[in-house]
Amino acid sequence: MNRQITIPALEEVDLTNCDKEPIHLSGHIQPHGVLIVVREPELEILQVSENTQELLGFDAKSAIGQNLSLLFDRAQLEKFNACLEKENLKTVNPIKVSIEQAGKSLKFDCILHRTEGVLMVELELATTTESLSVFSFYHSVRSTVSQIQNATNLQNLCQQTVKEIRRISQFDRVMVYQFDPDGNGAVIAEDKAENLTPFLGLNYPNTDIPKQARKLYSLNWLRLIPDINYQPVPLVSGNNSIPNKPVDLSFCVLRSVSPIHIEYLQNMGVTASMSISLIKDQKLWGLIACHNYTPKYLNYEVRAACEFIGQVMSLELQSKEGNEDYDYKLYLKSIQTKIFEDISTAENLSEVFGKCQHNLLEAVNAQGAAIIFGDNCYRIGETPQGESLKCLTNWVQKNLKKEIFYTDSLTKFYPEAEAFKDTVSGCLAVAISPIQKIYVLWFRPEVIQTVNWAGNPNKKLEIDEDGSPRLSPRKSFELWKENVSCQSLPWKPCEIEAALELKKAMINIVLRQADKLNKLNTALEASVAREREKTAHLKIAMSELKRAQTQLVQSERMSSLGQLVAAVAYEVTNPINFIYGNLTYANEYSEKLINLLQLYEQHYPSPSPEIKVEIEAAEVEFIVEDLPKLLGSMKVGANRIREIVQSLRNFSRIDEAEIKPVDIHDGLDSALLILSNRLKPKPVKQSYPLGNRPAIHLIKEYGSLPLVECYAVEINQVFMNVLTNAIDALEDAFVNKHLSSQRGGKEEPAKSGQIRIVTEVCSEEKAVKVRIEDNGWGMEETVRQKIFEPFFSTKPVGKGAGIGLAISWEIVVKQHGGKLSCISAPGEGTELIIEIPLRQIHPKPIVK
């Protein structure tokens, strides 16, 4: 005989054994139907419930390995296969099928779903012979849905729903069971037979519904147990069955019930039950719980109607809960408006708190508040005193990681709060400025509440006859009252929202104060600037001089480049065109000569000894084979020279000094072609006695760009300058790395340099962006800030004049109205970002 004892200590027994019960892997079903596990597409039976003899007329073991044709005739199999083509099998459930047994035709509702690569087929004896049409279903629930949607508030919604569910299902008792944040449940609506004791207002501990059961309620909208006194039916398997693990019955209508849950229902005196999940914001909000005190089976059609009503109520929860406390929300908004008026005219937060102390408490319905300003603390209303308040505020500052913190039981997070629970059991805190250590804390006192439980919520430990302990469900559900202490009234969502709105308004004051301080600093700086006006004028003059020098250098460079390219174009283009054009004739003539030689060989296969010797000496056979290849190589080389000349012309844009639409990618590719030799590996003999510099890897990620109006030759010069700097940076990184290893540093294998070019249209679609990034060493912040200054350079004397990026900045920013920026840090490489407007509204003339 079992005996009950109260659990003396949590660590002695695992109180979570209910949460670990694998209820979805029970291996059993309820007996009011048959479950068949089928392999597709063969429709081979892998597992079947043991009750097939009783319901279907054949032995379960004999069915293993057979086809579903064992059950269905050809017409029904065709109908069955047609349904299996649907991706969502719920849309075809239930399928009305008939099975012959002992000369009688039995009608079944066939329910299908797939899990873990197998098909689950459930058969329940049908109480109707026709499938419920959409029109019939609509008429059966239309009135109910209308009444639910017309409910004025949450309580009315819940009461109307339980009334309609009970009318449709004819259960003895139907309740709405709502979960609180801790998982405990409360009956908030009930419709029952007159002779039953009411459960309305009773609370149930979260342990009554284990975690895995809550998960199944989230997956399945409806769960029916027609008779808790059933005998579980095991599943029969064969050698061809699913290996190594029980089949997952999570979505099975017939899934057997947990023994602990059966015992729980028995203790309540319930014989049949049905639950309908209520889902809000994709979380389990509660259940519609249906109890009957005699066995009760509902067919698929009635269950579908009840499930649909539960889904409709779930959709209505959002709006109905939002309508709760509507007048109170309006009142809070009026308080906020008064505070915002005070904030709009206040110079600082201290003035705000002086003006609206009372409103600050009413804004969140608090009895006290503490405002922290650095090391100072200002108190309003009822608050902890002295050291207690100081320790609490320090704890909040250390632990307030999110936008807001709130609790109606501070002792759960801060046990020391029990010493002042009469003043602070609930706490709501926001950080106005963590940097300046500005926080606002609101307090609520303890409110001792009486919670009406359906029986003692503490689980009991039973000792079995073998002496092993096990947790059993509660046996008593009579009213059991508990006094809850160290807890305040809970913070409502509208109060939390009000605190966040106040936080935003107070942050604006902090920003205004910062702006005033900034203006004061600006005034002081202006005063100092006036004293240094002469120096400033000198700096401006020097800057203009540098700019003029930069423009002169740029003008000279571009002029020289144009003359050089023009000379190359003139001197190289004509000869190479002559060569390229004559190669066609040379190829044609060589083919004729080769054909003639081959013809001679056919007609005079035995030449004279003198000719034979000459043929062997001249290697005529090799010449015949190699001459076409030689001419082909000459043609490729000539074509390459023509491409290089064309790239030079594209780069310098000879005779194209005016602004015009340009393909940016042409300019980039021309610059890369000119610099292609610098991207190749550098051998040991060339400037790198410390080792070979590997080839620089080029990554081009070109987007789809429209034509850009610009001065093409100037923009091409920008690309050339930026790419040259990137190559220089990679070569310097290589040299510095090897010099470091020679001085005793760790020698590492040479790393290939990389240049990445990305082009894209800016988000506003008014400009294009070119990003040129290298993986060199990068630069210090002090260097990065000066790179666009004329004549600033970190390169050795003779290697760089410090005008390349200055010229680029003038071209992009001043001349084209674009942007040129740099992102760089030591060890992280450098990225230059060039933004060029698509259209030039007021183009600047080219500097001459």
Side-chain angles (χ1 to χ4, degrees):
M1 185 173 178
N2 294 343
R3 57 188 176 89
Q4 282 194 343
I5 60 172
T6 302
I7 300 174
L10 293 181
E11 61 270 20
E12 294 180 13
V13 177
D14 182 5
L15 292 175
T16 63
N17 67 344
C18 290
D19 290 333
K20 297 176 181 176
E21 183 185 10
I23 58 179
H24 63 300
L25 303 174
S26 65
H28 293 73
I29 66 167
Q30 299 178 69
H32 61 277
V34 172
L35 173 63
I36 306 172
V37 183
V38 176
R39 176 186 286 126
E40 294 183 273
E42 303 92 342
L43 300 184
E44 177 190 2
I45 299 175
L46 303 177
Q47 289 185 352
V48 65
S49 57
E50 203 174 55
N51 58 346
T52 53
Q53 185 70 52
E54 177 184 350
L55 292 179
L56 303 179
F58 60 83
D59 179 65
K61 290 184 179 179
S62 66
I64 303 299
Q66 296 197 50
N67 190 273
L68 279 183
S69 58
L70 176 69
L71 301 175
F72 307 130
D73 59 26
R74 182 174 181 180
Q76 289 191 116
L77 274 177
E78 290 178 357
K79 175 183 177 182
F80 190 84
N81 281 314
C83 293
L84 292 181
E85 294 178 1
K86 300 287 186 181
E87 185 175 350
N88 183 4
L89 294 180
K90 288 191 71 173
T91 61
V92 301
N93 289 332
I95 307 171
K96 297 293 182 179
V97 297
S98 60
I99 297 176
E100 297 295 328
Q101 179 189 359
K104 293 192 302 182
S105 180
L106 298 180
K107 305 297 182 181
F108 286 89
D109 286 334
C110 178
I111 304 166
L112 307 175
H113 76 272
R114 292 185 175 96
T115 181
E116 297 181 338
V118 295
L119 176 68
M120 311 294 279
V121 181
E122 297 181 85
L123 298 173
E124 296 182 62
L125 281 170
T127 57
T128 60
T129 57
E130 298 295 331
S131 297
L132 186 64
S133 69
V134 173
F135 189 73
S136 299
F137 183 84
Y138 169 71
H139 276 291
S140 68
V141 298
R142 178 179 61 178
S143 175
T144 299
V145 169
S146 177
Q147 292 181 52
I148 290 174
Q149 291 178 330
N150 290 332
T152 55
N153 53 45
L154 179 64
Q155 183 58 44
N156 187 247
L157 169 68
C158 296
Q159 195 59 46
Q160 192 64 44
T161 300
V162 296
K163 178 182 177 182
E164 290 300 311
I165 290 287
R166 184 163 179 255
R167 180 184 64 80
I168 294 172
S169 67
Q170 296 297 302
F171 269 86
D172 294 333
R173 186 196 306 270
V174 180
M175 303 165 286
V176 169
Y177 183 83
Q178 181 184 4
F179 296 122
D180 67 12
D182 295 325
N184 302 311
V187 178
I188 63 172
E190 179 182 45
D191 193 79
K192 64 178 183 63
E194 292 183 359
N195 62 316
L196 295 179
T197 302
F199 286 176
L200 185 64
L202 293 182
N203 291 266
Y204 294 78
N206 56 11
T207 53
D208 279 10
I209 304 179
K211 293 179 182 176
Q212 75 276 33
R214 292 173 191 262
K215 181 179 179 181
L216 289 176
Y217 283 133
S218 298
L219 295 174
N220 301 296
W221 282 92
L222 187 140
R223 171 69 162 153
L224 175 67
I225 307 172
D227 186 354
I228 67 169
N229 298 310
Y230 73 92
Q231 289 297 319
V233 179
L235 296 180
V236 176
S237 303
N239 295 331
N240 60 342
S241 186
I242 305 168
N244 299 330
K245 61 179 181 178
V247 65
D248 187 349
L249 303 178
S250 294
F251 294 95
C252 286
V253 175
L254 298 171
R255 173 171 51 84
S256 191
V257 187
S258 159
I260 296 177
H261 187 52
I262 291 288
E263 188 176 347
Y264 180 87
L265 293 174
Q266 287 173 340
N267 293 345
M268 293 185 74
V270 174
T271 303
S273 77
M274 182 175 72
S275 61
I276 306 166
S277 302
L278 296 173
I279 309 293
K280 179 188 173 187
D281 297 330
Q282 299 181 339
K283 294 181 181 179
L284 188 64
W285 180 91
L287 297 171
I288 301 174
C290 308
H291 290 171
N292 216 63
Y293 296 92
T294 57
K296 188 170 191 62
Y297 173 75
L298 299 184
N299 64 29
Y300 189 94
E301 285 79 6
V302 176
R303 299 200 308 259
C306 292
E307 179 180 331
F308 180 71
I309 291 170
Q311 293 173 344
V312 171
M313 178 179 172
S314 295
L315 293 173
E316 291 294 316
L317 284 174
Q318 186 77 37
S319 61
K320 296 301 185 291
E321 280 199 316
N323 290 335
E324 296 291 299
D325 298 324
Y326 181 73
D327 292 336
Y328 179 56
K329 292 176 185 177
L330 291 179
Y331 171 72
L332 291 185
K333 286 292 184 183
S334 67
I335 298 297
Q336 287 180 44
T337 301
K338 294 177 183 177
I339 296 175
F340 293 160
E341 289 175 358
D342 292 333
I343 287 176
S344 65
T345 58
E347 294 292 328
N348 51 56
L349 280 179
S350 298
E351 186 178 337
V352 170
F353 296 135
K355 287 182 176 181
C356 57
Q357 290 190 17
H358 181 68
N359 286 337
L360 194 65
L361 296 181
E362 287 194 339
V364 296
N365 192 20
Q367 280 67 52
I371 300 96
I372 314 302
F373 279 92
D375 296 330
N376 299 318
C377 179
Y378 301 90
R379 299 187 296 117
I380 304 172
E382 297 295 324
T383 69
Q385 301 294 316
E387 194 65 24
S388 296
L389 180 58
K390 183 178 180 181
C391 292
L392 174 60
T393 55
N394 288 338
W395 179 84
V396 168
Q397 291 180 41
K398 291 178 182 178
N399 293 277
L400 184 54
K401 307 298 184 184
K402 298 181 180 179
E403 189 176 25
I404 190 169
F405 166 80
Y406 58 91
T407 178
D408 58 1
S409 183
L410 184 58
T411 54
K412 291 181 181 179
F413 303 91
Y414 184 65
E416 294 84 350
E418 187 172 1
F420 44 86
K421 62 181 181 179
D422 293 341
T423 305
V424 181
S425 283
C427 180
L428 189 157
V430 294
I432 307 302
S433 175
I435 296 175
Q436 300 180 43
K437 294 184 179 180
I438 304 177
Y439 297 84
V440 180
L441 288 70
W442 286 277
F443 306 128
R444 281 181 178 173
E446 177 187 47
V447 177
I448 297 178
Q449 304 173 61
T450 300
V451 179
N452 294 329
W453 294 99
N456 189 333
N458 300 311
K459 282 196 173 184
K460 300 292 184 179
L461 180 69
E462 282 193 354
I463 303 299
D464 287 335
E465 293 180 358
D466 62 359
S468 60
R470 76 177 181 92
L471 285 174
S472 68
R474 294 177 292 120
K475 289 182 169 58
S476 172
F477 293 89
E478 295 181 358
L479 179 63
W480 191 88
K481 296 188 177 184
E482 178 188 20
N483 290 330
V484 178
S485 60
C486 293
Q487 192 164 322
S488 72
L489 294 175
W491 303 96
K492 295 183 177 182
C494 56
E495 293 165 344
I496 295 167
E497 184 181 347
L500 291 172
E501 290 295 326
L502 290 173
K503 171 185 173 177
K504 293 177 184 177
M506 293 175 187
I507 287 175
N508 288 334
I509 289 188
V510 174
L511 293 176
R512 285 211 308 265
Q513 286 182 288
D515 184 56
K516 288 181 180 180
L517 182 60
N518 184 55
K519 289 180 179 179
L520 179 60
N521 290 334
T522 302
L524 291 173
E525 289 174 1
S527 177
V528 173
R530 282 192 296 272
E531 297 296 325
R532 299 176 180 175
E533 189 172 357
K534 291 182 181 180
T535 305
H537 282 308
L538 180 60
K539 287 183 178 179
I540 292 172
M542 289 294 294
S543 177
E544 290 297 325
L545 178 60
K546 285 185 177 181
R547 183 183 175 194
Q549 290 175 320
T550 302
Q551 292 175 344
L552 286 172
V553 173
Q554 165 69 354
S555 178
E556 184 62 29
R557 278 187 173 185
M558 297 311 296
S559 175
S560 300
L561 179 62
Q563 293 174 7
L564 171 64
V565 172
V568 169
Y570 180 78
E571 296 293 339
V572 176
T573 300
N574 287 338
I576 201 63
N577 284 341
F578 176 77
I579 295 171
Y580 189 82
N582 285 335
L583 279 173
T584 302
Y585 297 109
N587 191 55
E588 182 182 341
Y589 297 161
S590 66
E591 287 180 359
K592 290 180 178 180
L593 289 173
I594 290 170
N595 291 336
L596 183 61
L597 282 173
Q598 292 174 345
L599 188 62
Y600 264 100
E601 188 176 0
Q602 291 176 8
H603 288 279
Y604 299 98
S606 301
S608 65
E610 183 179 357
I611 293 175
K612 189 173 184 180
V613 169
E614 190 61 31
I615 288 174
E616 291 176 356
E619 298 182 346
V620 172
E621 185 176 347
F622 173 76
I623 291 173
V624 168
E625 181 182 351
D626 193 55
L627 183 57
K629 298 179 182 178
L630 181 65
L631 291 171
S633 297
M634 292 170 66
K635 187 172 184 179
V636 170
N639 194 43
R640 177 64 173 165
I641 295 172
R642 293 177 72 190
E643 288 177 356
I644 293 173
V645 171
Q646 185 59 41
S647 294
L648 288 171
R649 292 176 63 90
N650 289 342
F651 180 79
S652 64
R653 299 283 180 174
I654 299 172
D655 301 326
E656 294 184 13
E658 296 300 323
I659 195 167
K660 63 180 294 183
V662 171
D663 186 340
I664 290 296
H665 293 152
D666 286 347
L668 281 167
D669 289 339
S670 297
L672 289 170
L673 183 61
I674 294 170
L675 294 170
S676 60
N677 189 56
R678 293 198 61 191
L679 300 175
K680 297 176 182 178
K682 294 292 183 179
V684 175
K685 296 180 181 179
Q686 292 187 14
S687 307
Y688 294 102
L690 301 173
N692 288 340
R693 192 267 285 156
I696 295 174
H697 183 52
L698 183 65
I699 300 173
K700 294 197 294 185
E701 297 178 12
Y702 287 177
S704 178
L705 302 184
L707 297 179
V708 179
E709 289 185 355
C710 65
Y711 294 104
V713 69
E714 263 64 29
I715 293 299
N716 290 347
Q717 181 64 28
V718 172
F719 296 154
M720 177 69 81
N721 290 342
V722 174
L723 288 168
T724 300
N725 278 359
I727 295 171
D728 290 344
L730 293 173
E731 291 184 341
D732 289 345
F734 176 82
V735 173
N736 291 336
K737 183 175 181 181
H738 280 277
L739 289 175
S740 174
S741 64
Q742 271 202 338
R743 297 189 186 104
K746 182 180 178 181
E747 185 171 357
E748 298 178 358
K751 179 182 177 182
S752 177
Q754 176 179 294
I755 296 177
R756 178 170 171 261
I757 306 174
V758 179
T759 64
E760 58 189 355
V761 179
C762 295
S763 57
E764 302 85 1
E765 297 187 354
K766 294 182 179 179
V768 297
K769 185 182 294 185
V770 180
R771 310 170 74 101
I772 300 177
E773 177 185 2
D774 66 67
N775 65 343
W777 169 247
M779 62 185 78
E780 302 286 346
E781 179 63 18
T782 53
V783 174
R784 190 194 67 81
Q785 292 179 353
K786 295 183 178 181
I787 60 172
F788 298 124
E789 294 181 7
F791 305 106
F792 173 80
S793 177
T794 58
K795 298 177 182 178
V797 176
K799 191 172 181 181
I803 61 171
L805 290 181
I807 290 172
S808 300
W809 191 87
E810 286 282 338
I811 293 171
V812 174
V813 179
K814 293 292 185 180
Q815 186 174 329
H816 288 85
K819 297 178 183 178
L820 180 59
S821 56
C822 172
I823 301 173
S824 185
E828 297 184 8
T830 300
E831 182 180 24
L832 270 293
I833 304 169
I834 306 162
E835 292 186 36
I836 309 168
L838 291 173
R839 302 286 179 268
Q840 293 293 317
I841 301 174
H842 302 293
K844 308 289 191 301
I846 300 177
V847 176
K848 294 295 184 180

